[in-house]
Amino acid sequence: MKCLFLAAGFATRLYPLTQNFPKPLLKVGERNILDRLVDDLESTRLIDGYCVVTNARFVDHFHEWVKTRPENIAVVNDGTTTNETRLGAVRDLALGIESLKIDDDLLVLAGDNLLDFSLKGFLEYAREKGTSCAMRYNEPDVEKLKRCGVMQIDAQDRVVSMEEKPPKPQSHWCAPPFYYYRREDLPLVATALKEGCGVDAPGSFLAWLAAHVPVHAYLMPGKRFDVGTLESYNRIREMFQRRDA
């Protein structure tokens, strides 16, 4: 199984901190965000190759980071230099798959999120289901749901539908940016783009896919932390510093 990190955003809400430095490499406690994610995945012994898709402004930072890791990590540059010209998460996913000729089950993660639980349970769940899978958690705040991917789930955990940033959310099941795609479903990324799939939100492909093949949703056993603003970064950094102590 391979793992692809989406890390081509420009993190404008964190300026000036991220004006010339990528958010996934910000320190949180004793380690940066990507180190924490990769360390957890290495503990599962289920991943045998990694890819980071980033932009032209930050690509050198990721090349330097790769030198500090013993794992097989490829860096793909999507060529963009500004937030206004970014390709979008789904096009970056397609670029990573095509550039590295990925022909394996693929875990796709936003490179700027942290978790207080291991991803091992999610990977085992996906293998047990034998389908592409998403994660889910219950979000009671309707205003927050309007800024997320919202899923409708049946009694067997199957994703009945999903909508990104719905004006009228149809459920309280929120989909964070963590996805498992079966090898057989990867060619459908290109198909989805040809059919007009949304490109900016990472969940847009999952939403398209769930309308065409079975997709299941794993109930998150803990919390995730999105480093979105300077305020949230400082709060999360202090939290993990205490955990690392």
Side-chain angles (χ1 to χ4, degrees):
M1 185 191 311
K2 303 297 186 291
C3 175
L4 184 148
F5 292 106
L6 296 168
F10 291 88
T12 55
R13 290 186 297 161
L14 278 166
Y15 279 14
L17 189 63
T18 54
Q19 194 157 4
N20 295 297
F21 192 81
K23 180 164 58 165
L25 296 183
L26 291 175
K27 278 287 192 73
V28 175
E30 297 302 314
R31 292 173 287 165
N32 65 47
I33 297 171
L34 272 187
D35 278 330
R36 289 181 177 276
L37 290 170
V38 174
D39 287 347
D40 173 56
L41 290 171
E42 282 297 284
S43 73
T44 72
R45 299 179 181 271
L46 295 172
I47 307 294
D48 61 7
Y50 298 85
C51 168
V52 177
V53 182
T54 186
N55 56 58
R57 186 189 297 178
F58 296 147
V59 65
D60 289 341
H61 291 285
F62 286 103
H63 281 305
E64 288 301 311
W65 170 72
V66 165
K67 294 176 183 178
T68 71
R69 301 290 317 189
E71 298 84 13
N72 172 27
I73 305 177
V75 177
V76 174
N77 179 3
D78 75 0
T80 62
T81 57
T82 67
N83 189 57
E84 292 71 28
T85 60
R86 67 188 185 277
L87 298 184
V90 179
R91 289 199 186 107
D92 280 328
L93 170 60
L95 177 65
I97 293 170
E98 175 59 28
S99 297
L100 300 177
K101 307 301 179 187
I102 297 174
D103 186 24
D104 200 350
D105 295 336
L106 183 64
L107 176 67
V108 178
L109 307 176
D112 59 358
N113 279 238
L114 288 160
L115 304 171
D116 69 357
F117 60 93
S118 174
L119 287 159
K120 184 177 181 180
F122 178 51
L123 299 179
E124 292 175 341
Y125 172 91
R127 288 194 161 183
E128 178 183 340
K129 288 295 185 182
T131 68
S132 290
C133 292
M135 283 196 195
R136 62 185 166 110
Y137 65 91
N138 187 276
E139 176 52 71
D141 188 328
V142 173
E143 292 307 310
K144 288 183 179 179
L145 287 169
K146 292 178 181 179
R147 302 191 296 270
C148 302
V150 178
M151 299 181 289
Q152 294 188 59
I153 311 294
D154 70 14
Q156 286 72 46
D157 293 349
R158 181 165 172 174
V159 180
V160 177
S161 67
M162 176 173 163
E163 184 179 4
E164 283 286 351
K165 299 181 180 180
K168 295 182 178 180
Q170 298 301 303
S171 83
H172 286 273
W173 288 121
C174 189
F178 303 101
Y179 315 100
Y180 171 94
Y181 294 121
R182 296 186 313 156
R183 171 186 182 184
E184 298 93 318
D185 292 338
L186 293 188
L188 295 176
V189 178
T191 303
L193 288 172
K194 289 178 182 177
E195 293 187 1
C197 172
V199 298
D200 196 43
S204 293
F205 173 62
L206 192 286
W208 182 93
L209 188 66
H212 294 79
V213 302
V215 173
H216 289 85
Y218 171 74
L219 182 61
M220 280 175 43
K223 296 180 181 179
R224 69 124 180 175
F225 305 93
D226 179 13
V227 181
T229 64
L230 286 169
E231 181 183 6
S232 66
Y233 172 57
N234 289 328
R235 183 175 63 252
I236 293 166
R237 184 174 57 177
E238 291 174 3
M239 181 191 312
F240 277 85
Q241 283 175 338
R242 290 194 298 269
R243 287 164 59 103
D244 290 346

